[in-house]
Amino acid sequence: MEVKKSPKADLENKRNLFLMLGLVIALGAILAAFEYKTSPKKVDSLGQVEMQAVEEEIIPITREQEVQPPPPPPPPQVVEVLNIVDDDVEIEDELFIEETDVTDDMVIDVAPVISTPKEEEEEDTQVFFIVEDMPEFPGGELALRQYIANAIKYPVIAQENGIQGRVYVTFVVNTDGSVADARIARGVDPSLDKEALRVVNTLPKWKPGKQRGKPVRVSYTVPINFVLQ
């Protein structure tokens, strides 16, 4: 069946025209909206401005109280104790002075006053560490080591526990060459320290040290090695 359509009722041929007209109308409305301006109304007065008084807040000024230190304690009262002694008490410690007449024949024995210079006493007691001529063991340093090696008896306790090391013993060589004031400067074990002191105390007399040609006391330190074989 053939469809019959009137050309007047066909809107397809006018479609593009209506589209262009709609776009033009919409664009014109947008431009008109952007160009539209409104003028502000004039105002006769801005109203009344009321001045309100603001009360100023007064901040009170305070001052910190000074802390006074406590008063010093009163001084202790001194109480005097008076021992009242009767008049009848006899005092034994009385000084009796005998009156003697001095004649030309009397002989008065006056004990002589012996004064020793203090400098010599100080030099005898002073111990030097470094002097011009240091003390010397008879035979020299090698003889000293040999003497110590022969005199040492290794403690049994140290041997059983495997203790060994080097003990430093400090002593003083007096003006006559004798050894005194032996002490441990650096120890290893009480048993080894005790044996080292024993050996040092058995040392024979040394050649004393001298300062300015005069024998003086000199401090000397000897290391003693304890080594297990």
Side-chain angles (χ1 to χ4, degrees):
M1 181 176 181
E2 185 179 356
V3 178
K4 294 181 180 181
K5 191 174 183 179
S6 173
K8 294 181 180 181
D10 188 9
L11 299 177
E12 291 294 332
N13 55 358
K14 298 179 180 179
R15 179 179 179 181
N16 293 331
L17 179 62
F18 291 152
L19 179 63
M20 295 298 294
L21 287 175
L23 292 176
V24 171
I25 294 171
L27 182 61
I30 293 171
L31 292 175
F34 277 108
E35 294 294 332
Y36 179 76
K37 296 181 180 180
T38 58
S39 58
K41 296 180 180 181
K42 295 182 178 179
V43 181
D44 296 336
S45 64
L46 297 177
Q48 296 179 358
V49 179
E50 296 181 358
M51 299 296 293
Q52 185 176 1
V54 179
E55 297 181 358
E56 295 181 357
E57 183 180 359
I58 300 174
I59 301 175
I61 300 174
T62 60
R63 183 177 182 182
E64 186 178 358
Q65 296 182 356
E66 297 180 356
V67 179
Q68 297 180 355
Q77 297 180 357
V78 179
V79 180
E80 296 182 357
V81 179
L82 300 178
N83 294 328
I84 302 174
V85 182
D86 297 336
D87 296 336
D88 300 335
V89 177
E90 296 181 357
I91 301 175
E92 296 179 357
D93 297 336
E94 293 184 357
L95 180 61
F96 296 96
I97 301 175
E98 296 181 357
E99 295 182 0
T100 56
D101 296 332
V102 180
T103 61
D104 296 336
D105 298 335
M106 295 181 64
V107 179
I108 301 174
D109 295 333
V110 179
V113 179
I114 302 174
S115 60
T116 56
K118 295 182 179 180
E119 295 181 358
E120 295 181 358
E121 294 180 357
E122 292 180 357
E123 290 181 358
D124 293 340
T125 58
Q126 185 179 2
V127 178
F128 294 85
F129 292 91
I130 299 176
V131 292
E132 296 174 354
D133 297 331
M134 292 296 292
E136 185 179 353
F137 185 80
E141 189 72 21
L142 184 60
L144 175 61
R145 295 180 183 178
Q146 188 65 33
Y147 178 88
I148 294 175
N150 296 333
I152 281 181
K153 296 180 181 178
Y154 213 109
V156 179
I157 298 177
Q159 292 181 6
E160 293 176 353
N161 296 327
I163 300 173
Q164 58 182 358
R166 178 176 296 179
V167 180
Y168 290 85
V169 182
T170 300
F171 55 91
V172 176
V173 179
N174 291 322
T175 55
D176 59 351
S178 61
V179 175
D181 301 335
R183 60 182 179 85
I184 299 297
R186 184 188 300 174
V188 177
D189 183 76
S191 59
L192 299 183
D193 298 346
K194 184 178 180 180
E195 178 62 18
L197 284 176
R198 186 193 67 81
V199 172
V200 169
N201 287 326
T202 60
L203 290 175
K205 287 190 175 183
W206 291 43
K207 181 181 177 182
K210 293 183 179 181
Q211 181 72 9
R212 298 178 182 177
K214 184 180 180 180
V216 292
R217 303 181 69 202
V218 182
S219 178
Y220 201 91
T221 302
V222 172
I224 301 178
N225 290 325
F226 291 87
V227 181
L228 292 173
Q229 299 296 335

